[in-house]
Amino acid sequence: MSQALLLRHHRPFMAFWFARVCTASGFQMITVAIGWHIYQLTGSVLDLGLVGLVEFLPRVMFMLHTGHVADRFDRRRVAATCQVLQALVAGVLVFSSATDSASRELIFLMAFVLGAARAFEMPATQALLPNVVPKELFPRAVAASASAMQAATIVAPALGGLLYAFGSLWVYGPTAVLYIAACILMLGLSSSQQPASKAPANLENLLAGIRFIRSRPDILGAISLDLFAVLLGGATALLPVFAKDILLTGPWGLGLLRSAPAVGALLMSFWLARFPIERNVGRIMFTAVGVFGVATIAFGLSTSFWFSLAVLAVLGAADMISMVIRGAFVQLHTPDEMRGRVSAVNGLFIGASNQLGEFESGVTAAWFGTVPAVVMGGVGTLIVTGVWIRLFPTLAKRDKLH
């Protein structure tokens, strides 16, 4: 029955899915290029972390407004506008590469603009998905939608690393094309699927998403678990250091390392789309976060390129389980007129765990060394998992998503 329903809704969902593939591919390619570019220019692991911080700052600065915009205006057009802005960022980097005028300051500025565009794009696209598929198919759609990002993450970083061997221009150019393609696909979705809120842009409505999450302990526990676990355990920002100095590979190896978590995540997303998790969701989510921490420790201690790829794949699969459970749970328990604002707060937590986690990794690597920083981060993830089980017992014991 569910498969038949999915087929009836496949056209808008597939357009949405391919738009996600394009924008995720563009982001992965431009991230690989920016990371390698800044490390070439400065040779500083701290600058690698600062790039993540600069990308994260717009999520904090505009958090209240990004959710309101997603609830007040056509979510398709909001997402498409953000994709055009990201294409312009890639265009500026194309020009600076072609004229050999790229600088540390320019890359930081473009990272900020890129982060601002993604800050507005994320809540709009997250809030749009429940309007694309029926409610009974939403958990499957979350897994399938997540697979778009993971499919892109497998190919795009490796392709970006390979193209970078010919020069940064060869990465930034295709990235701009991908963002334009995503914009066209997003605008092709039916506008009738956007139920816009008419709430005025006052402080009370801007803070509604925060109040809603605070009033639901299980939702607060789910998204804060991701924040602190990935904040401590994320080692993405340090992959250029591992590729160049520890695993003794080049840009192509960096691309494969960035792709490896997505291989595990994509395979897991296919499994979850076919066999969604329906029972023991709390216990499974916490177990997945624990596996994420163990895999992080194993990666930090590895000196083998192929073993590193393997544990990164396990890390990605564990993260996908947690992400699908958390994403479906939050969206299913949020009224449609508030999904943009709640997604904006959730996006801040995700951004903190990723971009701010990159900054944390860069700082701890500068203080203690690259390998100790990653290992300590993995241990921190395990500690957070145990603490959160005690702080949010009803979440840990939750049986079903609904």
Side-chain angles (χ1 to χ4, degrees):
M1 179 65 176
S2 61
Q3 294 297 328
L5 284 172
L6 184 59
L7 288 174
R8 285 204 295 270
H9 291 268
H10 78 285
R11 289 185 179 179
F13 179 73
M14 289 308 294
F16 180 88
W17 193 89
F18 278 113
R20 290 292 305 274
V21 168
C22 290
T23 192
S25 297
F27 178 70
Q28 292 296 330
M29 290 177 65
I30 202 170
T31 300
V32 168
I34 286 176
W36 197 267
H37 204 162
I38 197 72
Y39 194 53
Q40 274 190 329
L41 287 175
T42 69
S44 169
V45 294
L46 182 59
D47 279 348
L48 287 173
L50 285 174
V51 168
L53 177 63
V54 170
E55 287 185 8
F56 170 71
L57 283 178
R59 292 185 187 272
V60 179
M61 295 171 61
F62 307 126
M63 180 192 70
L64 298 177
H65 302 285
T66 58
H68 181 77
V69 167
D71 283 336
R72 185 72 185 270
F73 301 102
D74 188 330
R75 291 165 182 162
R76 302 169 311 127
R77 295 185 182 277
V78 172
T81 301
C82 295
Q83 288 152 4
V84 169
L85 183 57
Q86 291 170 89
L88 291 176
V89 168
V92 170
L93 292 172
V94 166
F95 177 80
S96 65
S97 297
T99 58
D100 198 25
S101 59
S103 65
R104 176 178 181 269
E105 291 73 21
L106 176 65
I107 291 177
F108 281 145
L109 175 61
M110 291 299 99
F112 180 85
V113 177
L114 185 69
R118 284 177 57 79
F120 281 89
E121 180 188 16
M122 180 176 289
T125 54
Q126 286 185 344
L128 181 61
L129 180 57
N131 305 129
V132 177
V133 296
K135 183 177 181 180
E136 57 269 28
L137 292 180
F138 187 67
R140 295 175 184 266
V142 171
S145 177
S147 73
M149 182 174 295
Q150 304 307 326
T153 307
I154 290 173
V155 178
L159 179 61
L162 178 63
L163 292 175
Y164 198 95
F166 299 97
S168 58
L169 175 68
W170 293 93
V171 184
Y172 297 134
T175 296
V177 175
L178 286 169
Y179 280 126
I180 294 299
C183 172
I184 294 172
L185 287 166
M186 191 62 67
L187 291 176
L189 293 174
S190 172
S191 60
S192 64
Q193 295 164 343
Q194 164 55 29
S197 168
K198 301 301 181 183
N202 55 38
L203 185 61
E204 180 181 357
N205 285 316
L206 292 175
L207 293 173
I210 296 176
R211 290 198 304 271
F212 179 85
I213 291 174
R214 288 184 60 187
S215 68
R216 270 70 172 181
D218 284 1
I219 293 179
L220 175 62
I223 63 176
S224 61
L225 172 66
D226 176 77
L227 165 64
F228 290 103
V230 180
L231 173 65
L232 295 173
T236 305
L238 301 178
L239 288 181
V241 184
F242 275 91
K244 185 174 184 292
D245 300 333
I246 297 175
L247 301 176
L248 305 179
T249 183
W252 68 272
L254 172 61
L256 290 177
L257 288 171
R258 290 193 67 96
S259 298
V263 173
L266 180 63
L267 293 175
M268 183 56 68
S269 68
F270 287 156
W271 177 267
L272 294 176
R274 179 65 180 86
F275 303 103
I277 298 172
E278 298 177 348
R279 303 297 299 271
N280 299 316
V281 294
R283 179 171 59 83
I284 292 173
M285 183 179 69
F286 278 101
T287 300
V289 176
V291 171
F292 180 92
V294 172
T296 299
I297 295 171
F299 173 75
L301 295 175
S302 172
T303 57
S304 165
F305 178 73
W306 298 109
F307 180 75
S308 295
L309 290 178
V311 294
L312 285 175
V314 172
L315 181 150
D319 189 45
M320 174 57 65
I321 295 173
S322 172
M323 182 172 64
V324 167
I325 293 175
R326 183 180 66 254
F329 177 70
V330 172
Q331 293 288 355
L332 287 173
H333 287 77
T334 303
D336 186 69
E337 66 272 12
M338 288 188 61
R339 283 196 177 113
R341 282 164 287 180
V342 171
S343 294
V345 179
N346 190 26
L348 175 65
F349 279 71
I350 294 172
S353 63
N354 292 325
Q355 277 77 45
L356 194 57
E358 292 180 4
F359 174 67
E360 178 269 338
S361 296
V363 171
T364 54
W367 286 351
F368 305 110
T370 302
V371 171
V374 174
V375 172
M376 288 189 297
V379 172
T381 296
L382 295 177
I383 294 174
V384 166
T385 302
V387 171
W388 254 239
I389 290 174
R390 296 184 64 86
L391 289 178
F392 301 95
T394 57
L395 176 63
K397 296 176 182 178
R398 177 171 284 273
D399 185 43
K400 296 182 179 181
L401 287 171
H402 300 281

